[in-house]
Amino acid sequence: MPPTEEHPVHPVHPAHPAPPRDDTRTLATVAHTAFFLLLGASVVRFLLRHPGEPRTPWIIALSITLALLYVLGPALGAAPTARRLLWLGLVVTTWVVLVILAPSFAWCAVPLFFTALRTLPPRAAIVLVALLTGFVVIAQLQLAKSFDPNLLLAPPAVAALATAVFVHMERQAQAQRTLIDDLIRTRRELAATERREGTLAERQRLSMEIHDTLAQNLSSQQMLLQAADRTWETDPATARAHVRTATDIAAHGLSEARRLVHDLAPPELADGAGLTDALRSLDAGPDIEVRFHLEGTPTPLPDRVQSALLRIAQGALANVREHSGARTAALTLSFLGDQVVLDIADDGHGFTEPRTDTAQRGHGLPAMRARVRQLGGTLTIESTPGEGTVLSAAIPLEPAP
């Protein structure tokens, strides 16, 4: 079995602040707890006040049915789908029948207000809340031995307060989501602008470098060789001197070309640093733990292969940071004799189908595919919703002599 190495690169910083509390989820938990408490209290009250009545089995059966239906709600999500609307209709219908048989179950409607407001559009939700409130008032008046103004006014007041609080929270949440979307879009636009400006500046620098070094050297060589050609028969010594000078200029131009190539190489691979060390030093931000694994016996890789694999790893970790919602990522560099394979795996939310058409996913994946294709390799992506994504780049190696 080939030797393996595992090394943690950058663990999650313990002092990093936790994400903000989800007020909507907290409110949902409180509403669900209140519903089951009110339902249980109503059952106990009915059994204590009406022992041995013929309708008792129906009350117990309907209470169990209502509890089971309510438990199924979170599994259907909060979006107003057909199944969610059908579920809400069954819950309300079961509750209405239960209140007709035992008016003391009317106060279970308060958590149902929250459920209706989360499931239906605002206007439809308010209409349903008003109907439920009216039903609660009628039930409470039936329980009262005499007319009580509080029973007429308290349920509408509670319903109005609950609706106002929920609508206010939803508006704040929507404003916050809009602000976050604007900030993310602005950040991406700024990053794109910086990349364009950096690209233009680098192109201008390279054009000046090439003009002042390689182009001037080539021009001088051309003039010397033309002069040597003109004097080759009449003055061979001068012609040979021109050729020697052109040779010296060519050697100087070659060194300049090598310097330019060295400057264009990734800085992580400069000064003799290997691909393994460069991959081990990568990170994906303070919220993501990155681990590096080495499998097989490392062999010297061409500079262009090292550069391509490093850029692919950097691009993949950028995608993990921006899109996956992952907490951990693993880089695995495998030397398999006739090829080298780089795997980047994360535990993010993944996606339904790995895309072969990357036109809608920015420039990251197309750039990775182009780098691998230039080296005769393959790039594959495997993803499962809720189980993360694995990106694998395999590049063939020339056999050793």
Side-chain angles (χ1 to χ4, degrees):
M1 181 176 294
T4 62
E5 178 185 353
E6 181 175 331
H7 181 75
V9 181
H10 286 280
V12 178
H13 200 290
H16 188 75
R21 187 177 182 181
D22 191 346
D23 293 334
T24 303
R25 184 176 302 175
T26 302
L27 182 59
T29 302
V30 172
H32 297 335
T33 304
F35 175 81
F36 288 106
L37 288 176
L38 291 172
L39 182 62
S42 299
V43 172
V44 172
R45 181 183 185 279
F46 178 83
L47 294 178
L48 293 176
R49 294 290 184 89
H50 309 281
E53 285 200 6
R55 54 179 174 167
T56 299
W58 289 100
I59 296 297
I60 296 176
L62 287 172
S63 299
I64 295 175
T65 302
L66 183 59
L68 293 176
L69 285 173
Y70 199 84
V71 168
L72 293 177
L76 300 177
T81 60
R83 290 192 303 174
R84 178 76 175 180
L85 296 177
L86 176 61
W87 168 83
L88 180 61
L90 291 175
V91 169
V92 172
T93 302
T94 305
W95 173 80
V96 168
V97 175
L98 191 58
V99 173
I100 292 174
L101 294 177
S104 58
F105 284 83
W107 284 108
C108 293
V110 176
L112 293 181
F113 294 165
F114 173 74
T115 303
L117 290 168
R118 288 191 65 196
T119 303
L120 299 175
R123 293 184 178 179
I126 292 175
V127 171
L128 180 58
V129 168
L131 293 175
L132 294 178
T133 303
F135 206 77
V136 171
V137 171
I138 295 173
Q140 293 302 306
L141 291 177
Q142 288 179 350
L143 288 176
K145 296 180 180 180
S146 60
F147 177 77
D148 188 346
N150 287 333
L151 298 179
L152 184 62
L153 299 177
V158 173
L161 179 61
T163 303
V165 170
F166 182 84
V167 171
H168 177 69
M169 289 183 59
E170 280 294 307
R171 289 177 178 175
Q172 283 190 327
Q174 182 60 39
Q176 186 178 17
R177 286 192 293 266
T178 302
L179 179 60
I180 292 175
D181 292 341
D182 291 341
L183 291 175
I184 293 175
R185 183 171 59 254
T186 302
R187 186 181 65 178
R188 290 177 177 174
E189 291 175 354
L190 289 175
T193 301
E194 290 177 356
R195 284 195 297 268
R196 286 194 297 268
E197 292 179 352
T199 301
L200 292 175
E202 183 65 12
R203 286 179 178 177
Q204 184 177 6
R205 185 187 72 82
L206 287 176
S207 66
M208 291 188 297
E209 289 275 356
I210 293 173
H211 176 271
D212 296 339
T213 57
L214 299 181
Q216 295 292 345
N217 289 339
L218 290 173
S219 178
S220 299
Q221 291 176 53
Q222 183 183 28
M223 293 175 60
L224 288 169
L225 292 175
Q226 288 175 348
D229 182 63
R230 288 194 300 268
T231 60
W232 192 264
E233 299 293 339
T234 59
D235 192 355
T238 301
R240 291 190 183 92
H242 290 330
V243 172
R244 286 193 295 271
T245 303
T247 302
D248 294 338
I249 294 175
H252 183 266
L254 180 60
S255 65
E256 288 291 336
R258 288 173 175 169
R259 182 184 64 81
L260 289 174
V261 172
H262 181 270
D263 290 343
L264 291 176
E268 294 85 355
L269 298 176
D271 301 326
L275 177 62
T276 301
D277 294 333
L279 292 176
R280 186 179 288 116
S281 65
L282 295 180
D283 66 74
D287 292 334
I288 302 176
E289 179 183 0
V290 180
R291 302 184 66 86
F292 174 72
H293 309 265
L294 177 64
E295 297 186 356
T297 303
T299 58
L301 297 176
D303 291 342
R304 60 176 186 165
V305 174
Q306 295 190 65
S307 178
L309 290 177
L310 178 60
R311 294 307 191 202
I312 289 172
Q314 290 172 330
L317 290 180
N319 286 341
V320 171
R321 178 177 62 252
E322 295 179 7
H323 306 297
S324 72
R327 302 296 296 174
T328 60
L331 300 177
T332 303
L333 182 64
S334 305
F335 290 88
L336 305 179
D338 60 341
Q339 64 177 348
V340 59
V341 179
L342 176 64
D343 297 317
I344 302 96
D346 66 73
D347 60 353
H349 49 64
F351 48 90
T352 304
E353 296 181 359
R355 296 189 180 185
T356 56
D357 179 13
T358 58
Q360 302 299 325
R361 295 183 65 84
H363 301 286
L365 289 178
M368 296 180 199
R369 294 187 187 277
R371 292 181 188 276
V372 173
R373 191 181 301 114
Q374 290 173 356
L375 297 173
T378 57
L379 182 74
T380 58
I381 303 174
E382 298 179 359
S383 184
T384 303
E387 298 183 8
T389 302
V390 178
L391 183 146
S392 180
I395 297 178
L397 300 177
E398 296 180 359

